[in-house]
Amino acid sequence: MINDIDLEGVGLFNGLNSCEMEEVKQHFQHVSYKKREMIFSEGERSEWLYIVIEGKVKITKLSNDGKEIILELIQEKELFGAVAVFKDFPYPANGVSMEPTQVLRISRKDLLKLLDRYPNIMLTLASIMADRVKDSYEMIKSIALECVESRIASLLLKLADKTASVRDRGLVIDIKLTRQDIADMVGTTVETSIRTFSKFKKEGLISERNGRIVIKNRLGMEMYSR
């Protein structure tokens, strides 16, 4: 039971009143994960839907040659594992904590009870899953059709729209990402990722501050992303 957890910022439960929210909380478990700890593995039975409360999670797959590919980054107040749990098929990818992470999880059985009791949750979940499928399609299309510079620029702009805070000297992407992380998300090598970042820096498009990427010239980045 996790009555001390605030779910108000979780989009899945928008529209519920305080009494309904208290009822919803009873179905969740609070679980902690260490950095780089596996939350679930590809092919594992999908028993739980997860919501990140603190920390970050990456959804990954392994290529045929064993290379990790990052499909998605999950931020605070976002859910993951939804499609597999709802459709009752094995997790199609891995869920791995990127840092010490706190999550809430709900079993498939209890989730279906909530969806039956609160149709609005069902509608919101369907919308979230549709957006995820669209994002996956866009990523696959980008990897197949766009050059690496365009893919990296598009990724940074997407992350900026999702996480960035506005500072005096640009948009700070509020997540620490290595060159390897970037390479894994756009389907390239770390060497190419490093060269592209160096080029963007020389052109004054980006900088780095305290381990975080800063977009200094959004218009210039948008030109690359097209």
Side-chain angles (χ1 to χ4, degrees), residues 2 4 9 11 43 48 51 59 82 85 100 105 108 113 115-116 118-119 126 133 150 157 160 179 189 193 207 221:
I2 48 171
D4 58 322
W48 304 95
I51 298 172
I59 306 301
V85 172
R105 69 181 190 179
R108 182 174 187 273
K113 288 180 181 178
L115 296 180
D116 183 59
Y118 300 109
V133 171
S150 177
L157 288 170
R179 299 294 185 269
T189 64
S193 176
S207 64
M221 291 294 286

Side-chain angles (χ1 to χ4, degrees), residues 4-225:
D4 58 322
I5 298 298
D6 180 13
L7 292 178
E8 292 296 336
V10 179
L12 184 61
F13 306 119
N14 286 346
L16 296 184
N17 60 40
S18 58
C19 292
E20 291 169 336
M21 191 71 78
E22 289 302 316
E23 179 184 348
V24 166
K25 289 181 182 180
Q26 312 308 313
H27 297 282
F28 281 88
Q29 298 177 11
H30 192 177
V31 186
S32 300
Y33 293 94
K34 299 177 182 178
K35 184 177 181 179
R36 299 192 184 95
E37 187 171 355
M38 187 73 72
I39 299 172
F40 56 72
S41 301
E42 181 178 356
E44 182 180 319
R45 182 180 177 184
S46 56
E47 297 183 355
W48 304 95
L49 178 146
Y50 297 86
I51 298 172
V52 175
I53 297 303
E54 181 178 323
K56 296 178 179 67
V57 172
K58 60 182 178 180
I59 306 301
T60 72
K61 287 181 74 73
L62 294 179
S63 65
N64 291 334
D65 59 1
K67 178 180 173 59
E68 182 183 70
I69 300 172
I70 299 178
L71 304 178
E72 193 172 6
L73 297 178
I74 309 298
Q75 309 289 314
E76 293 180 7
K77 305 298 185 179
E78 293 184 338
L79 58 88
F80 61 104
V83 176
V85 172
F86 182 70
K87 298 295 290 183
D88 195 21
F89 58 74
Y91 291 116
N94 307 298
V96 184
S97 58
M98 300 182 69
E99 58 190 47
T101 298
Q102 306 289 323
V103 305
L104 302 179
R105 69 181 190 179
I106 182 171
S107 69
R108 182 174 187 273
K109 178 181 178 181
D110 286 341
L111 175 65
L112 293 179
K113 288 180 181 178
L114 289 182
L115 296 180
D116 183 59
R117 181 168 173 78
Y118 300 109
N120 285 344
I121 298 180
M122 175 68 163
L123 293 174
T124 303
L125 181 61
S127 177
I128 291 172
M129 291 192 296
D131 288 341
R132 295 283 174 84
V133 171
K134 179 183 177 182
D135 288 345
S136 296
Y137 170 78
E138 292 296 334
M139 183 191 69
I140 293 171
K141 184 176 73 172
S142 172
I143 291 175
L145 301 177
E146 297 176 1
C147 69
V148 172
E149 291 174 353
S150 177
R151 297 193 323 246
I152 291 179
S154 296
L155 172 64
L156 295 182
L157 288 170
K158 178 181 176 181
L159 292 174
D161 290 337
K162 188 174 182 180
T163 73
S165 57
V166 180
R167 308 285 173 83
D168 292 340
R169 289 174 286 176
L171 291 171
V172 180
I173 297 176
D174 190 23
I175 181 172
K176 289 187 177 181
L177 293 170
T178 66
R179 299 294 185 269
Q180 186 66 64
D181 290 334
I182 297 295
D184 292 343
M185 294 184 74
V186 300
T188 189
T189 64
V190 66
E191 293 80 11
T192 301
S193 176
I194 291 171
R195 287 197 299 270
T196 303
F197 266 75
S198 296
K199 179 177 181 178
F200 286 170
K201 284 184 177 180
K202 287 179 181 179
E203 295 182 8
L205 301 178
I206 65 172
S207 64
E208 291 186 89
R209 193 181 312 156
N210 299 323
R212 285 172 167 75
I213 301 166
V214 181
I215 296 181
K216 300 172 63 178
N217 182 345
R218 184 183 179 105
L219 181 59
M221 291 294 286
E222 288 175 346
M223 294 296 293
Y224 268 105
S225 70

